[in-house]
Amino acid sequence: MATVTREAARPQLTAVQWTIGAIAAIGFLFDSYELLMMPLVIRPALVDLLGVPPTSPEINNWSGLLLSTPAIAGGLFGLLGGYLTDRFGRRRVLVWSILLYAFSALFSAFAPSAGWLLFWRCGIFIGVCVEFVAAVAWLSELFPEPKQRESVIGWTQAFGSLGGVMVTGLYYVSVT
């Protein structure tokens, strides 16, 4: 007697789940876009903020600070993000980290000095890193079926890489 085993049909994603996934993917795309855009605009921004020529050694000193300090701050707070999401809830931490990221990005555009630019860039990195932790944890909870969860987290994270492609495309358009 032959037995036929069928893999249980996976439930289809609902419209709400597709919407959540799409918004998460767009969010991850813009997170990486924001983080990767700085190296392209750092020199002209510092020339303007510091009032020095583009060949000044001060540009290199501030560039090093602006590229390393926010990444360190984001990494440290990203580690803290797991604790914060457990303590205060995924949604609450997600909302506050997105607000921190958004307002820091806005204020960095109007930074009156290199020091303030560094401060706001740290806020951006902290917001993005904590948001990343909270968003992945929340997505994991929203998709209880393992194959769906793996798929949704995989393709939403892939959009983070597209932020880098978008930076590359915009750089190409701006210099040609």
Side-chain angles (χ1 to χ4, degrees):
M1 173 190 232
T3 58
V4 177
T5 58
R6 289 188 177 181
E7 188 178 311
R10 283 192 288 178
Q12 296 293 319
L13 293 177
T14 66
V16 170
Q17 288 175 318
W18 273 109
T19 302
I20 290 168
I23 290 170
I26 292 166
F28 290 135
L29 181 142
F30 281 104
D31 289 347
S32 62
Y33 171 83
E34 176 64 38
L35 299 180
L36 295 172
M37 184 55 85
M38 185 62 164
L40 301 180
V41 299
I42 196 168
R43 186 167 296 278
L46 287 173
V47 166
D48 186 48
L49 289 171
L50 298 172
V52 298
T55 56
S56 171
E58 239 182 310
I59 299 289
N60 286 339
N61 294 339
W62 275 101
S63 293
L65 283 172
L66 283 164
L67 293 174
S68 63
T69 306
I72 293 167
L76 293 173
F77 276 86
L79 291 172
L80 185 62
Y83 169 75
L84 293 174
T85 57
D86 289 341
R87 177 94 168 99
F88 300 110
R90 276 92 171 112
R91 277 185 248 159
R92 181 175 292 152
V93 171
L94 185 62
V95 167
W96 283 104
S97 62
I98 289 170
L99 289 173
L100 173 62
Y101 154 57
F103 282 109
S104 294
L106 174 68
F107 294 144
S108 72
F110 298 101
S113 69
W116 276 108
L117 181 59
L118 177 61
F119 177 81
W120 293 119
R121 288 295 297 174
C122 285
I124 291 168
F125 265 77
I126 290 167
V128 166
C129 290
V130 172
E131 174 216 342
F132 187 85
V133 171
V136 170
W138 195 32
L139 284 172
S140 295
E141 289 176 354
L142 291 176
F143 298 90
E145 201 276 313
K147 292 289 184 189
Q148 272 187 348
R149 180 175 51 246
E150 293 165 5
S151 177
V152 168
I153 290 177
W155 62 262
T156 57
Q157 297 303 299
F159 270 79
S161 297
L162 291 179
V165 173
M166 197 164 81
V167 168
T168 305
L170 287 172
Y171 177 74
Y172 175 78
V173 167
S174 69
V175 298
T176 55

